[in-house]
């Protein structure tokens, strides 16, 4: 197995699309890393660049101690599992699993031994003589995984391989992948837009936005200590509530988040974490206040709301409550809450998040609850929104001026 390092990697497509922007990553041997982000965030491109299926426009890629930026895909010793990976329909499961080894002219005894072991791990021993059309959807997915791991590569790259499967099948295959990583002791990099999937599988998570790394940390640290508003929005389901354009004011010696008729007292333990508090408190400087839905309960609170909708998310039930015109908060509710009800909301303000409205960066320092992993990536400073946009603009080629016809 091997470690992986990317230094200053950019990927600019001929169309002018900037898919990766100054990506710096370092993963240890045998880590399970998830890469998350919305559509067109660069997840698949990142994996393809690591595998050598796309050539980086700039930067360096190291697998172990070897710089591989110009090394052909077949010589990188990387296995990539795609979404809806297609099996060879005319050959049986054994031959599908053995295909990559045969291409590399592995000895027959090695092929027999490795296929047998992988088939046993993946529960395929009884279907080795069947062709793909005779398999269930789950068995086909297991064969696709087996075809990659049978080679025992240095890196395993998963490009959202279980997207589109039904919930139960997705859960079973996800558990298979987690167990595979534990048994193979491999370095797994798993790209997905399903954040909950990433948080349950990975030891660390990379959050990407339009090709730019926003933050790298453990699932718990990303949830509790997001570097910016985008990470707070991305990590968690349902997504976080934001009150945009608020200010921090002193009301009777208590610091409060104020927005129109909303006034939320900020607990002292949060106030003590505000970096450069004098820049925000009482100055009118705009902030974004974030409170997660699971931290707001419909009950005997101080905030009035009107339920505009009720929805289920996983095992929870949530009410979308309008607290003032234009501002709604999603809150945990019981079965007795219905659309149109007047409710009292009780937010747990000890779990509020505060971001600078202009830079979108957190204004809160970490406290003793932060679990330090020792990885330097976790301490990398996120970029202010405007600086990030400028960097992306600077890296894009400027189109030559069009010639006017006379």
């Amino acid at each position: 197995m091997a470690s992986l390092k990317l230094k200053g990697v950019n990927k600019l497509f001929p169309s002018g699309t900037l898919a990766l922007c100054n990506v710096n990553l370092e993963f240890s041997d045998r880590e399970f890393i998830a890469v998350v982000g919305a559509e067109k965030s660069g997840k698949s491109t990142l994996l393809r660049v690591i595998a050598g299926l796309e050539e980086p426009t700039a930067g360096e890629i190291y697998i172990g101690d070897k710089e591989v930026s110009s090394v052909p895909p077949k010589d990188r010793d990387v296995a990539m599992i795609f979404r809806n990976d297609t099996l060879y329909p005319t050959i049986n499961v054994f031959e599908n699993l053995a295909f990559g080894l045969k291409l590399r002219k592995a000895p027959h005894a090695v092929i027999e031994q490795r296929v047998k072991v992988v088939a046993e791990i993946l529960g395929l021993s009884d279907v080795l003589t069947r062709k793909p059309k005779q398999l269930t959807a789950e068995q086909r997915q297991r064969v696709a995984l087996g075809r990659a791991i049978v080679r025992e590569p240095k890196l395993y790259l998963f490009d959202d391989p279980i997207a589109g499967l039904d919930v139960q099948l997705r859960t079973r295959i996800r558990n298979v992948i987690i167990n595979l990583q534990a048994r193979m002791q491999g370095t797994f990099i798993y790209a997905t837009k399903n954040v909950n999937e990433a948080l349950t599988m990975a030891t660390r998570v990379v959050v990407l936005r339009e090709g730019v790394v926003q933050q790298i940390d453990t699932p718990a640290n990303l949830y509790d200590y997001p570097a910016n508003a985008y990470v707070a929005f991305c990590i968690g389901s349902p997504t976080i509530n934001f009150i945009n354009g608020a200010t921090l004011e002193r009301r009777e010696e208590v610091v409060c988040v104020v927005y129109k008729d909303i006034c939320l007292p900020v607990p002292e333990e949060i106030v003590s974490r505000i970096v450069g508090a004098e820049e925000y408190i009482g100055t009118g400087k705009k902030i974004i206040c974030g409170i997660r839905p699971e931290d707001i309960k419909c009950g005997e609170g101080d905030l009035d709301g009107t339920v505009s909708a009720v929805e289920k998310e996983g095992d929870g039930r949530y009410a979308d409550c309008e607290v003032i015109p234009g501002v709604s908060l999603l809150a945990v509710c019981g079965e007795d809450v219905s659309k149109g009800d007047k409710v009292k909301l009780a937010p747990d303000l000890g779990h509020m998040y505060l971001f600078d409205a202009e830079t979108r960066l957190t204004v809160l320092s970490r406290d003793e609850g932060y679990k330090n992993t020792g990885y330097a990536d976790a301490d990398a400073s996120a970029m202010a929104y405007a600086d990030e946009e400028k960097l992306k603009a600077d890296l894009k080629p400027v189109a030559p001026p069009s010639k006017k016809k006379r």
Side-chain angles (χ1 to χ4, degrees):
M1 307 307 162
S3 58
L4 173 71
K5 183 189 292 186
L6 278 72
K7 296 174 63 176
V9 170
N10 297 332
K11 177 57 183 177
L12 183 69
F13 287 106
S15 63
T17 299
L18 183 64
L20 296 174
C21 179
N22 195 34
V23 174
N24 294 281
L25 302 172
E26 188 164 356
F27 305 144
S28 300
D29 185 18
R30 301 180 183 182
E31 273 201 274
F32 195 132
I33 300 291
V35 183
V36 300
E39 291 288 345
K40 299 183 179 179
S41 61
K43 304 184 299 295
S44 294
T45 303
L46 176 63
L47 265 58
R48 292 177 67 84
V49 164
I50 293 169
L53 303 177
E54 298 283 356
E55 186 176 346
T57 309
E60 301 171 355
I61 302 169
Y62 294 84
I63 297 177
D65 296 327
K66 184 180 179 182
E67 208 276 326
V68 298
S69 304
S70 301
V71 173
K74 64 182 180 64
D75 297 326
R76 295 194 185 192
D77 201 10
V78 170
M80 188 160 177
I81 299 90
F82 297 93
R83 188 182 316 167
N84 301 321
D85 220 342
T86 305
L87 305 179
Y88 299 108
T90 59
I91 57 178
N92 64 26
V93 170
F94 181 97
E95 292 166 327
N96 264 282
L97 292 173
F99 190 81
L101 292 173
K102 288 181 177 178
L103 280 182
R104 288 164 176 77
K105 303 188 185 308
H108 181 73
V110 171
I111 294 174
E112 288 276 350
Q113 188 266 337
R114 287 197 189 175
V115 169
K116 181 180 178 181
V117 169
V118 167
E120 184 178 339
I121 291 172
L122 292 172
L124 296 171
S125 299
D126 294 337
V127 297
L128 287 174
T129 58
R130 295 183 190 176
K131 291 186 177 178
K133 67 180 180 181
Q134 298 172 294
L135 305 177
T136 66
E138 180 173 353
Q139 288 169 334
R140 287 195 294 272
Q141 199 69 26
R142 288 172 182 254
V143 176
L145 293 173
R147 195 168 57 182
I149 68 172
V150 75
R151 295 197 289 106
E152 299 181 4
K154 292 179 179 177
L155 291 176
Y156 299 83
L157 308 178
F158 297 82
D159 188 11
D160 217 354
I162 59 179
L165 301 179
D166 66 64
V167 175
Q168 290 185 337
L169 179 52
R170 194 162 63 234
T171 300
R172 291 199 296 271
I173 296 297
R174 182 178 67 208
N175 291 335
V176 168
I177 294 171
I178 293 171
N179 291 332
L180 268 179
Q181 199 268 342
R183 293 191 64 165
M184 303 300 293
Q185 293 289 291
T187 305
F188 279 35
I189 304 174
Y190 189 98
T192 178
K193 59 183 177 183
N194 187 318
V195 175
N196 287 341
E197 207 165 77
L199 298 182
T200 56
M201 296 175 76
T203 50
R204 288 197 296 153
V205 178
V206 179
V207 182
L208 273 179
R209 175 184 171 271
E210 295 179 0
V212 179
V213 175
Q214 305 293 308
Q215 191 173 355
I216 310 170
D217 216 324
T218 64
N221 284 343
L222 290 175
Y223 181 90
D224 291 326
Y225 302 92
N228 58 28
Y230 180 81
V231 175
F233 177 81
C234 189
I235 302 297
S237 179
T239 54
I240 192 170
N241 296 297
F242 283 136
I243 301 173
N244 294 295
T247 57
L248 291 172
E249 310 291 343
R250 286 196 184 274
R251 301 280 175 91
E252 299 179 357
E253 299 306 311
V254 175
V255 175
C256 298
V257 171
V258 177
Y259 180 77
K260 296 182 179 179
D261 293 334
I262 298 174
C263 182
L264 303 175
V266 183
E268 183 54 40
E269 64 266 27
I270 299 293
V271 175
S272 66
R273 293 174 55 204
I274 300 175
V275 178
E278 67 282 355
E279 182 183 348
Y280 295 95
I281 300 174
T283 66
K285 188 175 176 63
K286 302 295 185 184
I287 63 161
I288 301 168
C289 176
I291 308 175
R292 296 195 183 277
E294 53 268 37
D295 292 326
I296 307 177
K297 304 292 189 293
C298 290
E300 297 301 316
D302 298 325
L303 204 57
D304 294 317
T306 302
V307 179
S308 57
V310 176
E311 59 187 62
K312 286 195 173 183
E313 181 84 25
D315 296 329
R317 193 169 186 267
Y318 297 87
D320 194 10
C321 306
E322 185 178 65
V323 292
I324 62 172
V327 177
S328 292
L329 300 175
L330 201 63
V332 177
C333 69
E335 294 292 336
D336 57 333
V337 175
S338 302
K339 181 178 179 179
D341 287 354
K342 302 291 185 182
V343 294
K344 292 285 189 178
L345 299 178
D348 181 356
L349 300 177
H351 288 100
M352 73 165 52
Y353 303 79
L354 300 175
F355 306 94
D356 184 288
E358 183 178 350
T359 66
R360 305 185 191 180
L361 299 176
T362 182
V363 302
L364 301 178
S365 63
R366 297 169 179 170
D367 60 12
E368 65 279 0
Y370 181 83
K371 301 294 192 299
N372 199 320
T373 60
Y375 288 102
D377 292 339
D379 296 320
S381 298
M383 296 180 67
Y385 180 76
D387 293 339
E388 183 181 308
E389 293 300 298
K390 184 178 184 302
L391 175 62
K392 290 188 289 190
D394 289 344
L395 287 172
K396 286 186 178 181
V398 178
S402 58
K403 295 181 180 180
K404 292 183 180 180
K405 293 182 179 180
R406 294 185 178 179

